[in-house]
Amino acid sequence: LEFVGSVDVYKRQVLHRVASDGSIKGIARFCFDFAKENCDYLRIDTYKDNIPMQNTLAKNGFCRCGIINTDDGSPRIAYDWEA
C-alpha cells in the first residue's frame, strides 16, 4: 500500500460507511465535503465490485492506494485524501 499522506496517526480520520438509496443525488459529495472541512487527511475503502463508489471517490479527489484486508480476510480497495 502506498498512502499519499504521511499524517500523524492521531490526526487522520476514517470514513466508515457512506450509503444512499440513490433517490437523492450528491449525498456522498456532501459527506466528503463535510469531512474535508473538518480534517486534513481521510481514508476510506470499498469493495472491488462497488464501481459507483470507486467512481465517486475518484471524482471527489481520493487516490487509490492498493488493497487492504479486513479482519475477516475480505479484500477492499483502499483510498485516501489529503488537503
Side-chain angles (χ1 to χ4, degrees):
L1 282 177
E2 293 186 28
F3 288 106
V4 173
S6 58
V7 174
D8 184 293
V9 68
Y10 297 106
K11 294 183 181 178
R12 66 180 177 227
Q13 302 296 315
V14 175
L15 294 166
H16 176 65
R17 183 167 294 169
V18 177
S20 167
D21 66 5
S23 61
I24 299 173
K25 299 294 180 192
I27 298 296
R29 178 180 298 250
F30 176 82
C31 293
F32 297 152
D33 287 348
F34 176 83
K36 289 175 180 181
E37 288 174 11
N38 290 284
C39 61
D40 294 329
Y41 183 77
L42 299 168
R43 287 186 178 172
I44 190 169
D45 61 77
T46 190
Y47 296 94
K48 69 178 176 105
D49 296 333
N50 193 346
I51 303 303
M53 179 55 87
Q54 293 174 43
N55 292 335
T56 298
L57 291 167
K59 287 179 194 173
N60 284 278
F62 285 82
C63 297
R64 184 177 171 152
C65 302
I67 304 297
I68 61 168
N69 292 299
T70 61
D71 290 340
D72 69 3
S74 59
R76 303 282 193 280
I77 302 171
Y79 291 82
D80 70 354
W81 173 88
E82 186 171 27

